[in-house]
Structures are given as structure tokens and as C-alpha cells.
Amino acid sequence: MDGPGDPPEGTPEGAPGGGEDEYRSVVFDESFVRAARLQEYSAQERMGDHALAVRNRHVWTRVSTSRQVVVLVILIALAFGTAVYMGLRHPYKDPAAPVAEPMRSTLIPLAPRDPVPGGPATELFDHSPAAQFRLGQEGVTLPAARSTQHFSESQIMAALAAAKEYTVKSALDPAVLTGGAQRSVRLLLDPQQLDQFDRSFDHPADDGRHAATAWLIRFDPAQVALVDTPVRTQGVFTVTETGSSTLEVSSDHTFVYALRPAKAGSEHKAATDEASLFTVRRAMKFRFDREGLQDHHLTVVQSQLQAGPESCAADDEVYLRPLLAGQRPTGDGPAGTDPYATGQVTAALCGTLAGGAQPTPRR
């Protein structure tokens, strides 16, 4: 059939009427096609101009987060400040403990009417009111501890234990009695009382505040020596709650010491035969706050001593000045005062040692 058409072999090269001649310049040969690579763009690359908008959103998020952190810090600071303020101004917190007050003291010498009896210490004790007393710290007994409105039983016991320790160390320790170190007593005091305590030993005075013998019992080792026999002791403790944060422990004890002149050494046969008894009745008040109970510290509020046999003119601020066997007082005192009697301690400046308070002389 006649008609236009391409031969199966294609249009002969150079033949007129070839339709593809105009595209022959853009036909790729086989080597170019093989060298060509296909490249797929990433999602970020496909976003094109939209990527800037996404980045702007991230910046805004960071700014918002920073502001939230700043606000949170401010809120925490305000909450902390409020808590501190409320803690300082809380109307229900415990009242502040009172400042330790100075210790007040009274020393009353008891003068005998007759010469001081002497003899062996054991015999003197057997013929005196101290015959039934206990030996040493066995006579410093504690009452049963009972809780109060604001203090537990354990706190009451802690106060009693501290008062007992002070009593034992200040009245029964041989090193303290003979004028030695007083550090063991000092360690028990409230730190606010240490200045007064130290002044009482460095610059003692008869002013009711600074007598060394108001804090502890001591004798001049150059004049007096202890006989090697236990001190006779008897007394009681009482506990009173004086406020929601304070306790007061009162003590009332009588101590009887066997003494001899310091010059009498163990080589002298008469050393034990010239012993005499010296009696001290001491009433004290101790105060405790909650911090003191934890630290095992106490405040000595008051100290009252009756001591004899002494002369009324005895200078007792540094050491007690006992009259020893055979000695007489240098002056007369007022009406008789018995340190073995119970009840309120008299406030006389000097008393007369009642006859029944001394041992019965040997016949």
C-alpha cells in the first residue's frame, strides 16, 4: 500500500523528510546515560524556603522555656523566704530560755559554846547525830523521776543526775575538798556562769556573789587535813517545773567531815586521836533549760551554807575555817542553830552550834 511510513530499518541516513533530524543534537549517547546519577533530596531540602519558619518556632520555644525557669526560681525563692519568716515569727514556738542569773550565796558560821571535842574519827561519828548517815555518795540519793506538764520522765532524770553529780564533785571529791583543782565542778556549769565562777576563785569577796566556798566545799590544805574515813552524808532532792522551758532542782544535804591538823603526819601516834568533826549543811537551787539538759549543764541559782564549828569572825570566802579538836571560838554567836534540823535555813550572819550537833565528849 502506498502511503507515508517509515521503513522497518528506519529512515535512511541522508534521506529527506526525516522527522527526528531536529532533535538529533540532544540525543544522549550510552556512555553519558551510564554516568548519570539519581539524587533524592532530603525532607529538609525539599522544604526549601519553609525551613526558616521551622527554625523561628524553635527559638520561640527556647525563649518561653527560659521565662518559665525564671518564674519558677522566683516562686521557689518567695516560698523559702515565707517559710523562714514564719519560722522566726511563729506564735507557737517555745519561749526563749532565760539568761543565766548570777548565783546568790549565804555563809553562816556556827560557833560552839565549848571546846571542840576530839578523838578517833570512828568514835566521834558513833557518838554524833551522823551515826545513822550513809557513807560518801551513798547518801546522795535521788527521788523517783516523774514527768511534768512540759518535761518527760527522762528529762527529769537527766536534771536530777546532773544535780547529783554537782553535789558529789563539789562536796565529796577529796581533791576538791583539799583546795585542789575545781575544773570538774566548773565543767558542769552553764557557760554564762563561768565568769562569775572564775572571779570567785581569782578575786573572792564577801558580797554574796563571789565566795569560792559557795560553789564548793574546800579547806586550807596548809591548816587542815582529811582523816582517812568516809564523809557521812544525808539529804534530799526535789524537782519543780518553773515554766514551760525551765526546771528547778533543790538540794538540802548535810555533810560531816573528820578533820585533823595538817601538821600531824601519819608518823605521829596521836594523829588519829586528835580528829574532830566538821558539819556543813548546804541548801542549793539548780536551774535547767532544755539546752542545758542536752549539754549536761546547770545554773546554780542559790547556795546557802551553815558550817561549824567555826568562829563567827571566820573568813570563809576562800576556804572554810573549821575549829579543830580542843579549840574555842574567838567570839560568841547568836541563839543556837542546829545544822541537823530540817526546814528552812536561817539567814543569820553567825549562829551558835547547838550542843546536840557535836559528838559527846569522852569521859
Side-chain angles (χ1 to χ4, degrees), residues 4-353:
D6 295 333
E9 299 87 2
T11 304
E13 188 176 353
E20 296 180 354
D21 289 345
E22 57 181 312
Y23 300 106
R24 186 173 301 273
S25 61
V26 296
V27 174
F28 303 109
D29 58 15
E30 182 177 357
S31 61
F32 180 85
V33 173
R34 290 179 180 177
R37 291 184 178 179
L38 297 179
Q39 181 177 357
E40 183 178 356
Y41 290 102
S42 64
Q44 184 175 359
E45 292 171 331
R46 290 196 300 269
M47 291 288 294
D49 295 336
H50 297 287
L52 181 60
V54 175
R55 285 194 296 271
N56 289 339
R57 183 179 181 184
H58 289 167
V59 172
W60 173 253
T61 302
R62 287 196 298 269
V63 172
S64 299
T65 303
S66 300
R67 290 180 178 176
Q68 293 174 358
V69 170
V70 172
V71 172
L72 181 60
V73 170
I74 293 174
L75 291 176
I76 293 175
L78 289 175
F80 180 77
T82 302
V84 172
Y85 176 81
M86 294 300 295
L88 294 175
R89 304 280 299 199
H90 199 290
Y92 301 107
K93 68 177 182 178
D94 291 337
V99 176
E101 62 184 84
M103 183 267 294
R104 307 184 306 275
S105 63
T106 304
L107 278 68
I108 307 173
L110 302 179
R113 292 191 176 96
D114 303 311
V116 177
T122 54
E123 184 176 330
L124 293 174
F125 277 125
D126 290 341
H127 292 84
S128 75
Q132 305 302 318
F133 286 11
R134 294 185 178 182
L135 304 181
Q137 61 179 327
E138 293 179 1
V140 186
T141 57
L142 297 179
R146 294 183 175 86
S147 61
T148 61
Q149 182 178 359
H150 299 97
F151 291 87
S152 65
E153 180 178 327
S154 61
Q155 290 174 318
I156 300 297
M157 180 55 67
L160 287 169
K164 176 178 179 177
E165 185 176 0
Y166 185 97
T167 301
V168 170
K169 290 184 176 180
S170 64
L172 298 175
D173 185 351
V176 173
L177 294 174
T178 55
Q182 61 269 6
R183 185 172 182 271
S184 60
V185 178
R186 187 179 188 273
L187 291 174
L188 297 174
L189 294 175
D190 187 292
Q192 297 184 55
Q193 277 199 320
L194 295 182
D195 288 342
Q196 184 186 8
F197 181 87
D198 293 339
R199 181 180 171 185
S200 299
F201 290 88
D202 297 337
H203 305 285
D206 184 16
D207 59 0
R209 292 287 191 274
H210 301 98
T213 48
W215 300 95
L216 48 85
I217 297 174
R218 65 201 307 244
F219 306 103
D220 186 354
Q223 302 294 326
V224 178
L226 296 173
V227 175
D228 189 16
T229 185
V231 179
R232 301 304 194 268
T233 310
Q234 178 174 280
V236 295
F237 291 100
T238 57
V239 182
T240 305
E241 181 182 297
T242 56
S244 61
S245 60
T246 55
L247 284 174
E248 187 173 275
V249 177
S250 300
S251 69
D252 188 352
H253 289 81
T254 299
F255 307 95
V256 186
Y257 306 89
L259 306 175
R260 60 176 176 79
K263 63 181 180 181
S266 58
E267 68 276 6
H268 293 85
K269 183 177 182 299
T272 56
D273 292 337
E274 58 186 10
S276 61
L277 300 186
F278 185 76
T279 304
V280 177
R281 181 184 175 191
R282 186 175 73 169
M284 303 193 76
K285 288 185 179 180
F286 307 102
R287 181 168 296 160
F288 298 86
D289 56 29
R290 297 186 184 278
E291 183 178 355
L293 289 174
Q294 295 177 353
D295 298 337
H296 201 64
H297 288 155
L298 54 80
T299 298
V300 180
V301 178
Q302 188 173 13
S303 174
Q304 292 183 307
L305 268 75
Q306 296 178 350
E310 284 192 328
S311 295
C312 288
D315 181 8
D316 285 337
E317 289 79 35
V318 182
Y319 299 106
L320 296 177
R321 306 290 183 178
L323 295 172
L324 302 177
Q327 295 180 339
R328 291 176 175 269
T330 57
D332 294 331
T337 302
D338 185 357
Y340 293 94
T342 58
Q344 185 175 3
V345 178
T346 60
L349 296 178
C350 185
T352 299
L353 189 64

